[in-house]
Amino acid sequence: MTLVCGIDEAGKGCIIGPLVMAGILTDDDGVEQLKKIKVKDSKLLTAEQREHLFGQILKIVKSYRIVMVQPAEIDAAVMSSNGMNLNWLEAHKAAEILNFLNPESAIIDCPSPNIAAYREYLMNLVSNKKMKAIVEHKADVNWLAVSAASILAKVTRDAEIEKLKAAVGHDFGSGYLSDPKTIAFFGKSFEVYPDIFRKSWTPYKDKVMAKLQKKLGDY
C-alpha cells in the first residue's frame, strides 16, 4: 500500500508563541481508520475533541513528526535579507518532516498564495525526488491525512501556549491579536516578556516605535 504523508501547521498568524508543524505517515487502511474515528480539520473540532483524537491518531499512524518553530527563528526568517520569509521557512520545516518520514506521496496544506512556486521551492528541499507531492489550499479540509496532522499541530501548540501562560503568570488568551485577552496582555507586556512575542510582526514594531517616539517627545 502507498505510504502517504499529510502536513499542516498551527499558529502561523499569532503574535505569541511558536508555529507548530506536524506530519503523519499512514496508508490506505490508516486513512479508513482516521475516517472511522471522525477525524476532520482541527478548526472544525472543539478542544476536547482534538485532545481525544490526538491519542487515537498516534495509535493509527505508522509514524509522525512534530516541529516547533519558536518566535526567534520566525523573526530571523522574516527580517532576513537573503529572501527568506515565513512561507519559505514553512517549506524548510515541511521538507524536514518529509525527509524524516520519507513517504511515497505527500499532501501539504499550502501557506502561500502561489501554489506552483511553493511546490517548486519545497521539492528542491526534499531528498526523495520521486515522491508525489500534492500541494493545495484547504488540504486540511479535503484530505484526512492532513486533517490528522492539523490536529497534532493544534493540540501541540495549545499545550505550549498553556506552558507559556504558566511561565509568565498571565492568561493572555490564544496568542492571536483577534483575541481581547491577547491584545490587553500585548499592550502591557510586550517589553516585559520579549522572548514569547514575534518581534518581526508589524504590531510589535509599531509598539516599539510608538514608545520610542513618546520618549523622544519627553525631551
Side-chain angles (χ1 to χ4, degrees):
M1 286 190 174
T2 301
L3 290 175
V4 60
C5 172
I7 294 179
D8 198 15
E9 54 77 21
K12 181 179 181 180
C14 61
I15 197 165
I16 298 176
L19 163 71
V20 178
M21 295 191 65
I24 63 102
L25 184 70
T26 191
D27 56 18
D28 293 343
D29 286 343
V31 170
E32 284 302 310
Q33 291 181 61
L34 294 174
K35 185 176 181 180
K36 285 180 182 178
I37 64 172
K38 298 183 179 179
V39 162
K40 60 179 71 174
D41 175 25
S42 64
K43 293 186 290 294
L44 302 176
L45 299 166
T46 65
E48 291 76 17
Q49 288 172 324
R50 289 192 294 265
E51 289 171 11
H52 175 69
L53 287 170
F54 186 97
Q56 291 185 290
I57 290 167
L58 295 189
K59 292 177 182 177
I60 291 171
V61 301
K62 295 185 175 297
S63 187
Y64 69 97
R65 182 80 160 181
I66 297 174
V67 176
M68 277 195 287
V69 191
Q70 298 297 341
E73 187 174 1
I74 292 170
D75 291 338
V78 173
M79 295 189 291
S80 70
S81 58
N82 62 0
M84 182 64 76
N85 58 39
L86 187 54
N87 288 339
W88 296 151
L89 179 61
E90 274 199 45
H92 279 269
K93 300 304 177 181
E96 178 183 329
I97 292 169
L98 291 169
N99 290 337
F100 176 81
L101 296 176
N102 193 29
E104 296 168 80
S105 65
I107 309 163
I108 301 101
D109 192 58
C110 185
S112 168
N114 191 331
I115 293 175
Y118 185 83
R119 186 185 187 282
E120 180 180 4
Y121 188 92
L122 173 63
M123 291 306 295
N124 284 331
L125 301 170
V126 173
S127 300
N128 179 9
K129 302 302 181 185
K130 294 181 180 180
M131 182 191 73
K132 178 184 176 183
I134 297 172
V135 179
E136 66 179 41
H137 298 140
K138 302 293 184 183
D140 48 359
V141 175
N142 299 329
W143 301 88
L144 285 173
V146 185
S147 299
S150 78
I151 291 169
L152 298 194
K154 176 62 174 168
V155 171
T156 300
R157 178 180 148 78
D158 285 351
E160 287 301 306
I161 289 298
E162 291 306 312
K163 290 178 186 176
L164 288 177
K165 289 177 186 178
V168 303
H170 294 279
D171 178 4
F172 53 72
S174 64
Y176 287 85
L177 285 175
S178 56
D179 185 333
K181 285 185 178 180
T182 302
I183 293 171
F185 176 77
F186 173 50
K188 297 175 182 177
S189 306
F190 72 100
E191 290 184 308
V192 182
Y193 307 104
D195 291 345
I196 72 172
F197 289 99
R198 299 183 189 178
K199 293 184 280 293
S200 56
W201 261 221
T202 298
Y204 191 95
K205 291 191 286 187
D206 287 348
K207 284 281 187 187
V208 172
M209 184 60 66
K211 185 165 184 178
L212 177 61
Q213 289 174 342
K214 186 175 183 300
K215 283 183 177 179
L216 293 172
D218 291 338
Y219 287 100

